Amino acid sequence: MKTETNEIDKNKDMTFTGHLEELRQAIIISVVSLVISAGSCFYFYNELIDLITAPLMNNVKNVELIFTSPAEAFTATIRASLITGLIIVFPILLNRFYWFVAPGLTTSEKKLSFPLLFFSYFLFLIGIFFSYYFMLPFGVKFLVEFAPKNIKPMISIGSYISFSTTLILATGLVFELPLLLIFLSFVNIVNSKKLIESRKYAFLGSFVIGAIVTPSVDMMTQCILAFALYCLYEISIFIIRTLELKRVKNND
């Protein structure tokens, strides 16, 4: 305990300029990593566009992707490259964030940070895959096939890329919910009892978040995300309850 206190006091001695320098380095490394990653994705833009449009082309018959302005295909490819590049370098962004806040952490908090960082990226990837393989195919199929039969589906590449990348990235970020709740439990803001008592509000909130995050008025897609969020909430309760019991056992 004394060692951790001394470590915190030592970290407080870092000047404001030193913190700004660390922040500047973190931003530079993050931006450079994103540019390199996005540039690499843009280099393979044909394969990238095929990958992103696969949920539409493989699940909806007689659909055509078009562009309605000279720059639309280019700007859509830029957006797809940036979002994909962000997904790839997400571990680096987490790592830079950790090294920026690390001076203010105690030894025990630092030991806890590494598994939390891994868990964070794991949840982010689960959200990405869940959105790409389940929500996006179901959503585009439902929305396109809902149109009257005498209307031919011709979707602009810009609108599709905007819809799909927003849904994929937002779902990945929303899947960080368990990590957020676990962190709040460690700083004694919430506990398993409070979370259990708030189940009905969490259930309602899941649908509200699902409606906000989903970039369409498709109720089915919103419901899928809402149920996934509520399942994550229940998983968070289980994890937090397990950690609380373990903490009590260690104290005994």
Side-chain angles (χ1 to χ4, degrees):
M1 185 68 182
K2 185 176 180 181
T3 303
E4 292 187 356
T5 303
N6 292 337
E7 184 177 351
I8 294 175
D9 293 337
K10 181 180 179 181
N11 291 329
K12 287 181 179 178
D13 294 336
M14 180 177 289
T15 63
F16 179 72
T17 305
H19 282 295
L20 287 180
E21 178 62 22
E22 287 191 351
L23 178 61
R24 185 182 72 86
Q25 292 180 3
I27 293 175
I28 291 175
I29 293 175
S30 299
V31 171
V32 171
S33 301
L34 178 58
V35 170
I36 294 174
S37 178
S40 301
C41 293
F42 185 80
Y43 181 79
F44 298 98
Y45 70 92
N46 283 319
E47 292 81 359
L48 177 62
I49 297 300
D50 287 343
L51 178 66
I52 297 178
T53 58
L56 173 67
M57 306 305 292
N58 294 340
N59 292 278
V60 182
K61 297 179 180 180
N62 302 320
V63 64
E64 292 184 17
L65 281 171
I66 62 172
F67 59 93
T68 57
S69 67
E72 183 177 359
F74 178 76
T75 54
T77 304
I78 292 291
R79 179 185 177 91
S81 301
L82 285 173
I83 298 299
T84 308
L86 178 61
I87 293 172
I88 293 173
V89 302
F90 194 69
I92 297 177
L93 302 183
L94 289 175
N95 179 267
R96 288 299 92 197
F97 173 76
Y98 167 75
W99 283 112
F100 175 68
V101 301
L105 302 177
T106 63
T107 302
S108 59
E109 289 172 339
K110 288 179 180 179
K111 291 180 180 179
L112 181 63
S113 299
F114 286 105
L116 285 180
L117 288 175
F118 174 80
F119 187 47
S120 176
Y121 189 56
F122 177 71
L123 289 173
F124 182 70
L125 288 181
I126 290 179
I128 296 297
F129 283 104
F130 178 78
S131 179
Y132 181 81
Y133 286 105
F134 293 98
M135 292 182 60
L136 188 56
F138 184 87
V140 295
K141 182 178 177 63
F142 175 83
L143 291 172
V144 174
E145 293 185 350
F146 183 79
K149 294 182 179 179
N150 60 336
I151 300 179
K152 183 178 180 180
M154 300 176 67
I155 303 173
S156 72
I157 185 64
S159 62
Y160 174 78
I161 292 296
S162 177
F163 171 85
S164 58
T165 55
T166 299
L167 180 62
I168 291 172
L169 183 60
T171 305
L173 294 175
V174 165
F175 266 58
E176 299 288 334
L177 175 64
L179 184 68
L180 174 62
L181 293 178
I182 292 171
F183 172 77
L184 292 177
S185 72
F186 272 107
V187 294
N188 297 319
I189 295 179
V190 299
N191 53 48
S192 60
K193 183 179 179 180
K194 289 182 179 179
L195 294 177
I196 292 173
E197 293 173 349
S198 303
R199 271 177 170 154
K200 57 182 179 180
Y201 302 109
F203 187 77
L204 177 61
S206 297
F207 282 89
V208 173
I209 295 175
I212 295 174
V213 170
T214 306
S216 72
V217 294
D218 172 22
M219 289 296 296
M220 295 302 296
T221 305
Q222 294 174 5
C223 288
I224 292 174
L225 180 57
F227 279 112
L229 274 175
Y230 186 73
C231 289
L232 290 171
Y233 184 83
E234 291 293 338
I235 293 173
S236 302
I237 293 177
F238 174 77
I239 295 175
I240 292 172
R241 181 58 179 164
T242 302
L243 293 174
E244 288 173 348
L245 292 174
K246 184 178 180 180
R247 194 179 309 166
V248 172
K249 184 178 180 180
N250 291 337
N251 291 336
D252 293 340

